[in-house]
Amino acid sequence: MSEDIVLRAEHISVEYAGRRPTRAVRDVTIELRRGEVLGIAGESGCGKSTLAYALARMLKPPAYLTGGSITFFPAGGAPVDVLALDGEGLRRFRWNKIAMVFQSAMNALNPVTSLAQQFTDIFAAHRPDLDAATRQRRARELLDMVGIDPARIGSFPHELSGGMRQRVMIAMALALQPEVIIMDEPTTALDVVVQREILDEIERLREELGFSVIFITHDLSLLLEISDRLAVMYAAEVIERAPAELVGQTPAHPYTLGLLRSFPDMRSARRELRGIPGNPPDLRSDFPGCPFEPRCEFRFEVCPTAHPALGPPAGRTVAVPPAPPGGADWQVACHLHDPQYRPGGPPAGLNGVPAADVVRTETQVGAERSGGDT
Amino acid sequence: MTATNVVATVAAETGAPGAGRLAGLRAAFRSPRLLAGTSIVGFFVLLGIVGPFLAGNPNALSHTELAGPSASHWLGTTQIGQDVFAQLVVSTRASLAIGIGAGLLATLISIVVGISGGYAGGFLDEALSLLSNVVLVIPTLPLVIIIIADLKSNGLGPLIVVIALTSWAASARVLRAQTLSVRNREYVLAARAAGERGWRIVFVEILPNELPIIVSNFIFAVIFAILTQAALAFIGLGDPTLLTWGNMLNIAYNDEALSIGAWWWFIPPGLCIALLGMGLALINFSLDELLNPRLRVYRERDRERRWERRPGAAR
Amino acid sequence: MSVLQVTGLTVEFGQRGGAKLRAVEDLSCTLRAGQTLALVGESGSGKSTVVRALAQLQKRAAGQILLDGQPAAGRGRALRAYRHRVQLIFQDPFASLNPMHTVRHHLARPLLLRDGHPRGPALDGAVHDLLRSVNLTPPGEVAAKHPHELSGGQRQRVAIARALATGPDVLLADEPVSMLDVSIRLEILNLLDRLKRDRNLAMLYVTHDLATARHFSAEIMVMYRGQIVEHGPADEVILRPAHPYTQVLASAAPDPAMSRQALADARRQRQAARAARTAELRESALGQGCRFRTRCPHAMPVCQTSPPDAPAGPGHRALCWLYDPAARAGAA
């Protein structure tokens, strides 16, 4: 993973038009470095999927990009202003440079045409120079690359299992050897064993072909394993951006902490488990203060009135990797880290010391013991 | 998540008490299609109810035979001097009666056959399906012609019954298919798991969810009934003294109105049939939009008006 | 004190081409008052079918269900009485409520089905009590809403309240939180746990998530392709899985404690193991014998015949030849 950026999206805002427009993405800035896996975590309604579609320029009405810029830096080429692309330029950009793997393969694969036909369609649209024989060969190679028997090139989507269909989606995304692949919940609908296989496959392909990945999911525990860096989204904004290895133990934002707590560790001792009370906010409203404030256990006086901006986390006792030129590596949008509002630093759990209930402990809280009555 | 999913999730999480449904209805009523459709149908219904009291005697003979539209005869006269306008107005009532009567009866039969077969499954389902399929396969119009021609009585009642009895099958099949799908939905299973009785489940849980399709079927049945009666009348079957649009067309045709060029006689009834059909179809389509948000046509004009003010807006 | 005892439950589905599909084969378990039994398996393992069979929404081909020692009735008044005592919660909060009816309707109907429940203001009171017991307040407002006006978590609470309305002794929860947002899941599971303890319910918790299965239940059954392959105390099954399938499941779950290096090493090991078996083999159908043998790293020739239900520890059983002393002696 280099410091060199392959995709930069700045101040992206997306709205869904309607009587009361829904602002699904609000002033989001993300940078993807060449060869890295950037995870985007968040729950339903946080805007992460909308962001993905915006980056790939696949937004459809009633969704509209209402602000921001997206710049793509191809290897050995001049930077491309993605939003300025049109017609032929856009066609050459889509799928060639940035491809996407969608959440539900059955929604993205055509149920009435065979796999061979669907691959042929991709090549016909983007590589008209290839002849039929070459297209067939490439298609079989792609299937083999993702671990499917190439003889199944003639199958229809419904004849394949869920895991195989998702592999086909990945193969189709790789067909034109893009530099960036955006994956929107690619394994959510799959069993944990198949999910593990698919993730291993993605990792192997990444090592072999060198593309960068934006991986979007609600499964934060998964992202901690596979991402290099991750961004947590809440209410259409990025509220924390951090190195994946560190944020799992020492999150800076209360929402990230709550989200981490929502994934109990199977192997740890029994403890009291809690999620986050309340519901995500309505994205048709504006938030003068912090959007997470109603559900936050650490909220204080300034939170409902001032909207927090991204800034460096305070009180880190764990060493943060040195910031690359052009931007800090760890940012959090929370007043608890603002020395102006909290000169003493954030409370325990967010101050860089691992929280008690995110790490293994020996405490048992009223849990059932194996084999006996309560 | 796709665009529609996001919006749906957001809407669900608003928790606005009852406002969601009503606001949706109000918005839909702004649909030009629905307004147009209801206006047309409403107009005819009003005409049918009130018209005959105001339009004068359709059967009165006069000495101005085959005259074009004038001040005293708005739509001219027939070959024996009857006022076409009066006839048209009185026909409206009969045509609507047949349409709505037969439509209602056909829909009722299709509900009973379709839903009970779909829910019960097993032998009952097989038997009712067979019945539906047989009735469906027999060509409707020839069957109706044969039955009507054979009937001794000429009244409105038997006519309505015959048309209904020959046109319920397609709707029944559709309802059966939908019932098969609804009956496996989890809220139906939950009702069964709570111990609800079968008939209650059908009426309370299943039927309300099939209302959109039932209403749609009803509208089609009405159009079909009116057209069938018009066809019957046109070939001279049914009660010749009954004044319906179809009968008017029949008489006009027999009296050579076409070759004489008495357009005021044969165009208005045909136009009425077409207009009523169109009005009903418009209501049908806009109901689909109302009940299935995915079919809603996004109004380009509104979008352009709002976004042109924003600099640099792209997609 | 056992409340629901199941022996030899088998459910078959007819398929095109004649051969019957055994969705559930020879399942036996006991649900006890005040305790949770977790049924863990992946999609297609048959776990939802088990729930439906226990709720008598699905016919069984074989097996016996005893409620408080009495055989479960199949029809009529006795069946309705059974239904009142054994309730279920579905996975999809959006599908399990009828979009046409209010919350009040959903809760009032099962209340009224209890013989002799009064109508009128007492009914409203009972509806509000149910809503309060699942933390949906203010009850008056919530009762008037339609399902689409509620969030996923709120709908699932309504579904739980509905299940409690008939006064059940057994609660069958079929993946009650898998379709909910992550941060809400634990709230709902905690609610179920509290209700179970307060009302001394016997609970069956069906899930594919090993972590919550371990934390919320005393006993775990692991299901693979219709069969129970492992059954034992929760801690034992998770921390010391006996059956190779359970071991695969446990290792597939993300482990936050592993370092990057360890993760990469584990991945390379898995890939090497997988490369040794062709993709074809993994998808093939099976005749007799252990259903897991094509994916099992410990497969032996004897696995071609159906494995016995062998002991793997105190109260811990596994359907595997590895724990049959004779087979191990033969293989050694």
Side-chain angles (χ1 to χ4, degrees):
Chain A
M1 184 191 86
S2 62
E3 298 301 334
D4 138 52
I5 311 268
V6 66
L7 186 69
R8 174 183 287 133
E10 292 177 293
H11 305 295
I12 299 286
S13 292
V14 178
E15 265 186 50
Y16 284 87
R19 256 183 326 119
R20 276 182 76 196
T22 304
R23 297 176 53 209
V25 177
R26 302 179 189 206
D27 198 26
V28 166
T29 297
I30 60 155
E31 279 178 357
L32 178 67
R33 298 186 190 140
R34 209 169 298 278
E36 84 166 338
V37 177
L38 173 68
I40 301 187
E43 299 172 292
S44 61
C46 72
K48 57 192 196 300
S49 282
T50 311
L51 177 63
Y53 280 88
L55 292 174
R57 285 219 47 193
M58 289 196 201
L59 285 178
K60 276 200 189 129
Y64 292 95
L65 199 69
T66 54
S69 66
I70 303 176
T71 319
F72 173 66
F73 300 87
V80 175
D81 178 2
V82 175
L83 294 179
L85 289 175
D86 226 344
E88 185 62 22
L90 183 59
R91 196 187 57 75
R92 268 188 274 119
F93 175 78
R94 273 192 188 136
W95 225 254
N96 268 302
K97 302 292 178 202
I98 295 188
M100 195 154 162
V101 176
F102 301 93
Q103 178 170 357
S104 170
M106 273 327 261
N107 284 351
L109 290 176
N110 190 334
V112 299
T113 55
S114 67
L115 299 185
Q117 185 62 45
Q118 301 195 42
F119 277 105
T120 308
D121 287 345
I122 296 179
F123 291 128
H126 294 274
R127 294 271 166 82
D129 49 301
L130 296 178
D131 63 23
T134 319
R135 286 185 210 155
Q136 269 274 330
R137 194 172 40 82
R138 274 295 290 157
R140 282 168 187 267
E141 280 170 12
L142 285 165
L143 280 187
D144 188 42
M145 188 160 47
V146 294
I148 297 183
D149 182 5
R152 300 206 68 167
I153 188 80
S155 305
F156 286 83
H158 66 270
E159 293 170 338
L160 306 173
S161 69
M164 291 172 86
R165 284 199 289 258
Q166 212 59 12
R167 289 167 196 261
V168 170
M169 293 290 306
I170 295 172
M172 286 174 74
L174 290 172
L176 303 172
Q177 291 168 328
E179 293 182 47
V180 175
I181 299 189
I182 302 176
M183 301 196 174
D184 183 12
E185 304 262 21
T187 56
T188 301
L190 303 174
D191 304 325
V192 65
V193 179
V194 177
Q195 174 177 276
R196 178 59 65 188
E197 287 180 7
I198 300 282
L199 290 173
D200 284 350
E201 206 68 63
I202 293 174
E203 195 49 41
R204 183 182 63 76
L205 289 165
R206 207 169 64 82
E207 280 175 4
E208 204 178 295
L209 302 173
F211 50 86
S212 320
V213 175
I214 297 181
F215 198 105
I216 299 175
T217 179
H218 64 271
D219 191 343
L220 190 54
S221 59
L222 190 65
L223 281 184
L224 291 176
E225 262 200 37
I226 65 169
S227 327
D228 297 307
R229 291 184 308 144
L230 58 85
V232 180
M233 282 185 75
Y234 186 80
E237 300 172 13
V238 171
I239 50 105
E240 183 160 5
R241 203 209 308 279
E245 253 183 292
L246 300 176
V247 76
Q249 293 285 296
T250 58
H253 197 284
Y255 175 63
T256 315
L257 178 63
L259 209 56
L260 285 170
R261 275 204 222 112
S262 302
F263 291 96
D265 181 9
M266 178 174 79
R267 298 165 187 90
S268 72
R270 310 270 192 117
R271 56 177 173 84
E272 189 197 339
L273 297 174
R274 19 179 202 144
I276 308 176
N279 291 307
D282 180 359
L283 294 179
R284 289 176 295 182
S285 338
D286 279 325
F287 310 110
C290 172
F292 185 63
E293 173 265 323
R295 304 170 75 186
C296 183
E297 63 184 285
F298 300 109
R299 64 177 182 272
F300 59 110
E301 314 77 52
V302 70
C303 298
T305 54
H307 196 100
L310 284 169
R316 298 281 104 177
T317 58
V318 183
V320 177
D329 206 26
W330 197 333
Q331 294 193 307
V332 61
C334 180
H335 294 307
L336 292 167
H337 292 271
D338 190 337
Q340 198 187 4
Y341 295 123
R342 265 191 87 109
L350 301 174
N351 61 358
V353 177
D357 50 5
V358 174
V359 176
R360 297 169 179 223
T361 97
E362 300 303 274
T363 345
Q364 300 239 2
V365 185
E368 293 168 273
R369 300 191 133 271
S370 317
D373 292 347
T374 319
Chain B
M1 275 187 300
T2 61
T4 39
N5 283 356
V6 169
V7 179
T9 314
V10 165
E13 277 152 359
T14 325
R21 274 187 145 195
L22 226 50
L25 279 171
R26 250 183 268 127
F29 276 118
R30 290 194 214 126
S31 151
R33 253 184 272 230
L34 189 58
L35 281 174
T38 10
S39 316
I40 295 175
V41 175
F43 166 73
F44 280 113
V45 170
L46 210 60
L47 195 65
I49 297 175
V50 173
F53 298 118
L54 304 172
N57 190 348
N59 293 317
L61 304 173
S62 73
H63 288 298
T64 45
E65 293 101 0
L66 277 184
S70 63
S72 49
H73 297 285
W74 291 355
L75 282 176
T77 56
T78 70
Q79 188 161 53
I80 48 179
Q82 293 165 322
D83 183 16
V84 172
F85 180 71
Q87 288 200 333
L88 195 68
V89 169
V90 173
S91 305
T92 307
R93 186 182 274 190
S95 293
L96 278 179
I98 293 170
I100 295 178
L104 217 56
L105 188 56
T107 307
L108 229 67
I109 299 175
S110 69
I111 290 177
V112 169
V113 172
I115 297 189
S116 42
Y119 185 73
F123 180 70
L124 185 64
D125 185 26
E126 296 284 341
L128 288 175
S129 287
L130 184 62
L131 180 64
S132 310
N133 289 338
V134 167
V135 173
L136 196 57
V137 159
I138 300 176
T140 327
L141 199 55
L143 180 64
V144 172
I145 291 174
I146 292 172
I147 297 178
I148 293 288
D150 247 8
L151 272 185
K152 297 287 193 291
S153 86
N154 259 340
L156 209 58
L159 187 65
I160 288 179
V161 170
V162 171
I163 294 180
L165 280 180
T166 50
S167 60
W168 58 264
S171 308
R173 267 175 57 121
V174 169
L175 283 173
R176 173 182 174 267
Q178 181 150 34
T179 308
L180 285 177
S181 148
V182 174
R183 115 181 201 266
N184 284 324
R185 297 214 183 135
E186 287 179 350
Y187 52 83
V188 175
L189 287 180
R192 278 175 65 197
E196 291 270 26
R197 285 171 218 257
W199 59 269
R200 251 209 90 96
I201 294 181
V202 169
F203 276 104
V204 177
E205 306 288 337
I206 295 186
L207 197 62
N209 279 291
E210 301 195 9
L211 271 179
I213 248 192
I214 290 174
V215 171
S216 173
N217 284 346
F218 169 69
I219 290 177
F220 273 123
V222 169
I223 300 176
F224 180 78
I226 293 179
L227 288 175
T228 307
Q229 191 278 331
L232 286 174
F234 193 69
I235 60 177
L237 291 173
D239 182 1
T241 61
L242 184 66
L243 259 180
T244 64
W245 292 330
N247 282 21
M248 283 181 71
L249 283 174
N250 181 27
I251 296 169
Y253 180 71
N254 283 338
D255 289 348
E256 313 267 313
L258 203 69
S259 42
I260 299 174
W263 57 267
W264 57 87
W265 194 2
F266 60 85
I267 287 190
L271 203 60
C272 280
I273 295 177
L275 276 176
L276 182 64
M278 184 177 86
L280 288 169
L282 282 173
I283 295 181
N284 199 0
F285 294 149
S286 48
L287 270 183
D288 277 345
E289 265 185 18
L290 181 66
L291 296 160
N292 185 353
R294 275 173 279 189
L295 290 176
R296 238 166 250 168
V297 172
Y298 187 67
R299 258 159 241 126
E300 297 286 322
R301 296 175 278 112
D302 291 334
R303 189 254 300 176
E304 266 149 39
R305 229 183 295 132
R306 201 179 331 217
W307 299 124
E308 65 189 334
R309 288 187 251 123
R310 287 176 197 249
R315 255 217 266 138
Chain C
M1 172 252 301
S2 81
V3 176
L4 194 75
Q5 212 171 345
V6 184
T7 5
L9 178 69
T10 304
V11 178
E12 283 175 352
F13 290 115
Q15 275 185 310
R16 274 190 219 171
K20 279 202 197 290
L21 176 70
R22 287 207 145 179
V24 180
E25 186 164 324
D26 198 27
L27 181 147
S28 301
C29 67
T30 306
L31 298 176
R32 297 185 179 85
Q35 288 191 14
T36 306
L37 169 64
L39 178 57
V40 171
E42 303 177 314
S43 54
S45 59
K47 49 195 206 300
S48 282
T49 313
V50 170
V51 173
R52 300 210 173 167
L54 292 183
Q56 299 227 55
L57 290 173
Q58 171 70 49
K59 281 209 232 318
R60 49 185 191 274
Q64 203 186 36
I65 302 176
L66 294 176
L67 183 63
D68 274 345
Q70 303 289 23
R75 45 179 63 244
R77 167 155 248 148
L79 174 59
R80 273 208 297 287
Y82 176 88
R83 287 241 162 94
H84 292 172
R85 295 191 57 197
V86 177
Q87 276 295 305
L88 71 162
I89 299 167
F90 294 92
Q91 177 177 5
D92 187 348
F94 297 79
S96 67
L97 299 180
N98 192 333
M100 300 259 146
H101 295 308
T102 59
V103 168
R104 187 188 176 281
H105 169 100
H106 282 100
L107 299 181
R109 283 305 309 160
L111 282 172
L112 287 173
L113 284 170
R114 278 163 102 163
D115 297 317
H117 197 282
R119 292 177 176 266
L123 184 62
D124 278 322
V127 167
H128 290 194
D129 280 338
L130 278 174
L131 287 172
R132 266 186 283 263
S133 67
V134 295
N135 291 340
L136 280 177
T137 51
E141 262 181 50
V142 178
K145 291 197 180 166
H146 288 265
H148 69 267
E149 296 168 289
L150 302 172
S151 70
Q154 290 170 325
R155 286 186 219 204
Q156 202 64 322
R157 287 173 194 263
V158 172
I160 296 173
R162 174 179 60 186
L164 294 175
T166 58
D169 295 311
V170 178
L171 208 55
L172 308 170
D174 186 3
E175 301 214 47
V177 295
S178 8
M179 294 186 76
L180 298 179
D181 268 332
V182 164
S183 59
I184 309 178
R185 287 181 194 176
L186 290 179
E187 302 283 300
I188 301 285
L189 288 175
N190 280 330
L191 171 68
L192 280 173
D193 200 48
R194 180 174 59 74
L195 289 168
K196 175 200 73 178
R197 275 180 281 127
D198 289 348
R199 296 169 189 234
N200 209 29
L201 303 170
M203 188 140 89
L204 177 70
Y205 172 49
V206 176
T207 181
H208 61 266
D209 177 22
L210 285 175
T212 52
R214 173 157 175 240
H215 284 273
F216 285 98
S217 55
E219 248 184 292
I220 296 185
M221 291 192 300
V222 180
M223 200 160 173
Y224 180 74
R225 289 211 187 173
Q227 291 177 319
I228 298 293
V229 296
E230 188 163 348
H231 186 163
D235 287 342
E236 284 294 309
V237 172
I238 300 291
L239 298 177
R240 279 173 282 281
H243 195 280
Y245 174 63
T246 319
Q247 291 166 353
V248 168
L249 271 187
S251 66
D255 186 353
M258 282 176 93
S259 72
R260 289 282 152 143
Q261 192 51 48
L263 284 172
D265 290 339
R267 184 167 41 85
R268 272 178 250 283
Q269 270 188 324
R270 281 193 297 267
Q271 282 169 340
R274 236 173 272 135
R277 302 189 297 271
T278 66
E280 210 72 83
L281 214 52
R282 268 181 275 151
E283 308 287 342
S284 67
L286 292 175
Q288 293 299 323
C290 176
R291 294 180 183 184
F292 189 62
R293 68 181 186 274
T294 54
R295 294 165 68 179
C296 183
H298 308 288
M300 306 180 282
V302 70
C303 300
Q304 306 272 3
T305 55
S306 296
D309 184 23
H316 190 176
R317 307 190 69 78
L319 198 73
C320 183
W321 285 110
L322 287 172
Y323 299 94
D324 180 80
R328 293 186 86 173

